[in-house]
Amino acid sequence: MSLENSNIWCWIIPALVGIISGILGYLIGKGKHASVLDQGPELKKLEQENSSLIAELEACKQQQASQKTETKKDVPVASLSNTEAKPHSFNPVEAKAAFGKRVKENDLKIVEGIGPKIEGLFHNFGIKTWKDLSEVSTNKCQEVLNSGGDRYRIHDPASWPMQAKMAYMGQWAELAKWQDKHKSGKF
């Protein structure tokens, strides 16, 4: 019988060592896997924050560059003045004559660089008229663009408030001339 007992232990000991090793391996592996999964959302959040900061830095650089060149431009003085001039009532005939197409009142897409999707982003922020857009900062425009994701990063909103003010003031010929002179709304 002692031979049989020793023979059983030859099977039990390796089996127990294997089971214990398997359990420990599973627990260690699960712990490492869980920490990798936990880093995923945190890493994604940091990447988004980094993208946002890069976009903000670019917007600041663009604003600084536009402020340096703003005094050199031949933009009508009325479009840049801080005093609130009376807007002309919307005249679709004058707008059509200047742009060669029908223009709807408060259509933000008349601003060079704003399309239907970007107009929707501005509407989501409560910016629905030319007057509204003319009163926001370039930083706010960039914030609106950032809300749409990375695909809107290529847009430069530096001139959008100025263009909107020209539309709001009924300066159609000046706006069309400015847009022709400045490709894609860039200086």
Side-chain angles (χ1 to χ4, degrees), residues 8-75:
I8 289 176
W9 286 110
C10 289
W11 289 98
I12 292 177
I13 292 175
L16 286 174
V17 169
I19 291 171
I20 293 171
S21 297
I23 291 171
L24 285 174
Y26 171 78
L27 292 175
I28 291 171
K30 185 177 180 181
K32 286 182 180 177
H33 184 67
S35 67
V36 169
L37 290 178
D38 291 341
Q39 289 176 358
E42 184 177 305
L43 182 61
K44 191 173 250 186
K45 180 181 175 187
L46 289 173
E47 286 173 346
Q48 288 174 342
E49 187 177 345
N50 189 34
S51 297
S52 174
L53 290 172
I54 288 170
E56 190 176 335
L57 176 63
E58 288 301 315
C60 288
K61 286 179 182 177
Q62 290 171 356
Q63 184 178 17
Q64 184 181 21
S66 70
Q67 287 175 348
K68 286 180 183 178
T69 59
E70 198 162 307
T71 57
K72 298 176 185 175
K73 287 185 241 145
D74 60 343
V75 176

Side-chain angles (χ1 to χ4, degrees), residues 42-158:
E42 184 177 305
L43 182 61
K44 191 173 250 186
K45 180 181 175 187
L46 289 173
E47 286 173 346
Q48 288 174 342
E49 187 177 345
N50 189 34
S51 297
S52 174
L53 290 172
I54 288 170
E56 190 176 335
L57 176 63
E58 288 301 315
C60 288
K61 286 179 182 177
Q62 290 171 356
Q63 184 178 17
Q64 184 181 21
S66 70
Q67 287 175 348
K68 286 180 183 178
T69 59
E70 198 162 307
T71 57
K72 298 176 185 175
K73 287 185 241 145
D74 60 343
V75 176
V77 175
S79 69
L80 296 175
S81 71
N82 288 333
T83 60
E84 186 63 35
K86 273 195 161 186
H88 297 111
S89 60
F90 176 65
N91 186 336
V93 175
E94 284 181 20
K96 184 175 183 176
F99 284 96
K101 64 180 182 180
R102 185 171 169 242
V103 176
K104 293 182 190 176
E105 187 171 9
N106 290 316
D107 181 7
L108 298 182
K109 296 182 297 292
I110 196 70
V111 172
E112 183 72 34
I114 296 181
K117 291 187 179 189
I118 293 176
E119 181 181 46
L121 293 175
F122 276 101
H123 287 179
N124 292 341
F125 275 73
I127 301 168
K128 298 182 179 185
T129 66
W130 295 323
K131 184 177 189 292
D132 293 341
L133 182 55
S134 73
E135 294 173 344
V136 300
S137 67
T138 303
N139 288 338
K140 182 66 173 182
C141 290
Q142 190 63 52
E143 180 184 331
V144 170
L145 286 175
N146 291 345
S147 75
D150 289 342
R151 64 181 156 185
Y152 298 105
R153 184 178 290 169
I154 63 169
H155 295 280
D156 178 10

